[in-house]
Amino acid sequence: DKCRAPGVKGISATTGQEQQVLQDLEMPLARRQTEILFQEQPETGNPYLEDTLLRSYLKTHLPPKVLEEVHRDLERFGTRLLTKIQPLGWECELNPPVFRQYDAWGQRVDRIDTCSAWRRMKEISAEEGLIAEAYERRYSNWSRLYQAVKLYLFSSSSGGFSCPLAMTDGAAKVIESLGIPASLKDAFAHLTSRDPKKFWTSGQWMTERRGGSDVANGTETVARRQPDGTYRLYGFKWFTSAADSDVTLTLARIADAEGQCTQGSRGLSLFFLRVRDEEGKLNNIQVQRLKDKLGTRQMATAELWLQGARAELISAEGRGVASISNMLNITRIHNVISAVASMRRMISLSREYARRRVAFGKLLKDHPLHMQTIARMEVQVRGAFLLLMEVVRLLGLAETNLASEQDLLLLRLLIPVAKLYTGKQASAVAVEAMESFGGQGYMEDTGLPVILRDTLVLSIWEGTTNILSLDVLRSLAKSQGQVMAVFLSTVQEKLELALGTAELAPAVQHTRAALGSLTQFLQKAGPEPTLTMELAARDFSYSLARIYTGALLMEHAARPGASSTDTCAALRWCHQELCPVAVESGFGSYGAGAALQDSALVYGGS
């Protein structure tokens, strides 16, 4: 009411209309009748009940008794997310962690203070069994999928707490894979507890100054054996997410009696350590600073000095990389969960906004081009969601010893494929969805820039796109081609199923053609790792992601009771170029000459 328009000079208000204009200008802005200044905020409801794809997937795949219990719990959880957890997530964003290096009397304390909402997120994670669910296995092989669904619903409201949960899940998986040794039994119980007072979170301290993904050559931390059989760690950790966690897993090189360490990956061993002692004092760890990040600001990411931190060796000596691979698989799956969740959240908000926002005389939902844009994003998130569900379905089979050898090979391939592809999808969808709000999408207090910033890290965390593309090639080489045989036969099986639905015929035809092109490329490239395959790694991985996701969309659309929307999504997905590696190969993009041209383009100047 205090906001008034400036006075208007030089106007003689002699007519009634002119007098009304002057009166309007004199009125407080909020009370004018001649202007519409405000837009309606998009409001979404229970995220589980509004997610028709999720509900149809669960109805199709879960046993009836499991579905009944899961549906009841997810509906309750969706209400809790909407009414309680989402406000806490926003509070985490508004109150990021603060590092206090010294107290008022000059004593070094290295304290990382987090807000009450962040601490409450930890309690809620325990209460909801967001880690426990996967390890209790109440629903046998469906337990892991059920956990993934809860994490998917939780992610966008978690205020960044999904990250420590990812590492906690990974740490629990490593300990379980080691047979839960007696010395780690208590830690495993804490990591998988439903009791908020007992629940622990874990870190994953791998990145050092000389390397991120290149841990074999970048790890400098040294472990020195003590007389009691424990170890003391000395080194510098350059990037430690969720530095306020209770425990962590980390890699280090064991020094021999002369102080020498084996270099390369064969010199790395895996250690477990408590971050603080029973009194809350750091375990001979100094915090250098908190990272100033583009996104995920709700979470404390720190640089840490290990100055004799007491730790326990939990892998065989020199087998650290192999032992921590289970953790990386889990955290990469969590990365996929976050990517799919961020896409679903942005599209849900865009869809609701289109029902409310009027532009050019009609609602946005009545503008065909605007709806086409949202529909294209919807196809992306549908494909990503089904790819996520396929990965966690296979993981559930593996964890309950129900997986075939073919299932295990497929899981090994699909984890890096899903992680690299959904990370890219999420960034693209977030940017497009932000644009659908116009200028409001750029405003911090709408919360939309937060989602965008937090999404951008998903193509970096747990291995960049190129690193994971090379990992895909390793899976091919290690299996001596078996993994590709399984991939091709699995896709063919899904296509055979889709043939029973006439409307899907164009998608089946296009996918079969893509499979043929992929096979021809592999035959031409040969079985041995070459420069050609390295240059093609990214496009090859994209081809695998698009072909397999298309097959999943067709499978979902071919099920009894499928909707026209399911069919439309499958057709639209398969209308894109499904095998970009074959297209680029035809252009000569992968030879030695192409590599020289790439270098010239980057460094040769104009």
Side-chain angles (χ1 to χ4, degrees), residues 497-515:
L497 179 65
L499 280 175
T501 305
E503 294 88 345
L504 294 173
V508 172
Q509 183 179 3
H510 196 187
T511 306
R512 279 185 167 166
L515 278 180

Side-chain angles (χ1 to χ4, degrees), residues 50-122:
E50 291 188 347
D51 197 326
T52 55
L53 178 61
L54 167 60
R55 293 174 65 192
S56 68
Y57 181 90
L58 296 179
K59 183 178 180 181
T60 301
H61 291 274
L62 293 186
K65 177 62 176 176
V66 175
L67 176 64
E68 180 183 350
E69 294 184 20
V70 163
H71 171 75
R72 188 164 52 247
D73 184 58
L74 291 178
E75 183 174 357
R76 175 204 59 78
F77 185 47
T79 300
R80 189 180 192 187
L81 285 165
L82 185 65
T83 59
K84 304 294 183 181
I85 298 175
Q86 283 184 11
L88 290 172
W90 185 241
E91 188 177 336
C92 290
E93 175 65 24
L94 297 177
N95 299 279
V98 176
F99 173 44
R100 305 189 188 282
Q101 195 166 38
Y102 298 94
D103 66 13
W105 307 102
Q107 298 295 317
R108 184 156 186 170
V109 291
D110 282 6
R111 193 174 76 237
I112 298 173
D113 290 335
T114 57
C115 68
S116 60
W118 178 263
R119 298 190 296 274
R120 180 63 185 134
M121 285 295 188
K122 182 179 180 181

